[in-house]
């Protein structure tokens, strides 16, 4: 899978004390347009797995190329998340935490969880979307990349 280039997302939940919690993720894909469904694969031993099971909600924040430090930060276990990485969470109402500066945010409600191996496939319906501007952060062969000049090649 390291030969498959992806974007990078932060899956956002609330920890039991109500604080925003993040997990770096790239095992993420669209599932359906009508209704709007996506899936994310979460390992059973992640904190995020437990929080999603309890809350039945999570947020998806697509990172922009200036957010590599945030991707690295949320790829570590919470006790290793040291240093002064600014994480500009926005929390409002019942929605999952949203990261300022992300390319897009989707507030998701779980509709199914399927356990396979050491991960769960979590299928969720998108209740709300907000789209920002910017250029994506990319992940390939276990490294983060900024998109070179942000200009896509024309056509498909
Ligand atoms: C680029 C990247 C993508 C990742 N994708 C996933 C993923 O899709 N699912 C997953 O369970 N862990 C993934 N991880 C690992 C988690 O980010 C990492 O285990 C994190 O510490 C989990 O935090 P938590 O246990 O507090 O939820 C990824 C890590 C990196 C660096």
């Amino acid at each position: 899978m390291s030969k498959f280039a992806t974007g990078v997302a932060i899956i956002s939940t609330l920890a039991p004390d109500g604080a925003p919690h993040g997990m770096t993720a790239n095992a993420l894909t669209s599932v359906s347009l009508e209704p709007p469904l996506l899936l994310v694969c979460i390992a059973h031993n992640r904190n995020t797995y437990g929080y999603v099971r309890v809350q039945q909600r999570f947020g998806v924040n697509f990172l922009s190329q200036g957010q590599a430090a945030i991707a690295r930060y949320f790829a570590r276990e919470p006790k290793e998340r040291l240093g002064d990485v600014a994480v500009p969470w926005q929390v409002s109402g019942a929605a999952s935490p949203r990261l300022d500066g992300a390319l897009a945010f989707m507030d998701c409600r779980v509709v199914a969880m399927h356990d396979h191996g050491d991960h769960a496939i979590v299928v969720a319906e998108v209740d709300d979307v907000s789209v920002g501007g910017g250029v994506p952060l990319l992940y390939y062969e276990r490294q983060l990349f900024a998109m070179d000049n942000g200009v896509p090649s024309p056509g498909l």
Side-chain angles (χ1 to χ4, degrees), residues 6-11 13 21-28 40-51 71-79 81 118-120 137-140 142-144:
T6 67
V8 185
I10 302 298
I11 303 300
T13 51
H21 181 89
M23 180 190 93
T24 303
N26 71 338
L28 184 78
V40 59
C41 298
I42 305 176
H44 294 135
N45 62 0
R46 312 279 191 246
N47 295 299
T48 296
Y49 173 71
Y51 302 162
R72 288 193 193 91
Y73 184 77
F74 285 125
R76 294 187 222 121
E77 286 182 35
K79 62 178 185 323
R81 293 176 187 175
D118 56 7
H119 278 59
L137 181 66
L138 304 177
Y139 187 67
Y140 180 67
R142 299 185 185 84
Q143 290 191 76
L144 298 167

Side-chain angles (χ1 to χ4, degrees), residues 23 35 52 98 103 108 156:
M23 180 190 93
V52 167
R98 181 174 68 78
L103 294 182
C108 302
L156 274 179

Side-chain angles (χ1 to χ4, degrees), residues 5 9 12 17 25 42 54 62 77 80 82 92 97 102 105 111 113-114 118 120 123 125 129 137 150:
S12 56
D17 65 0
I42 305 176
V54 170
F62 291 138
E77 286 182 35
E80 309 288 336
L82 310 169
S92 79
F105 168 74
V111 296
M113 292 178 83
H114 306 279
D118 56 7
V123 183
E125 182 159 350
V129 178
L137 181 66

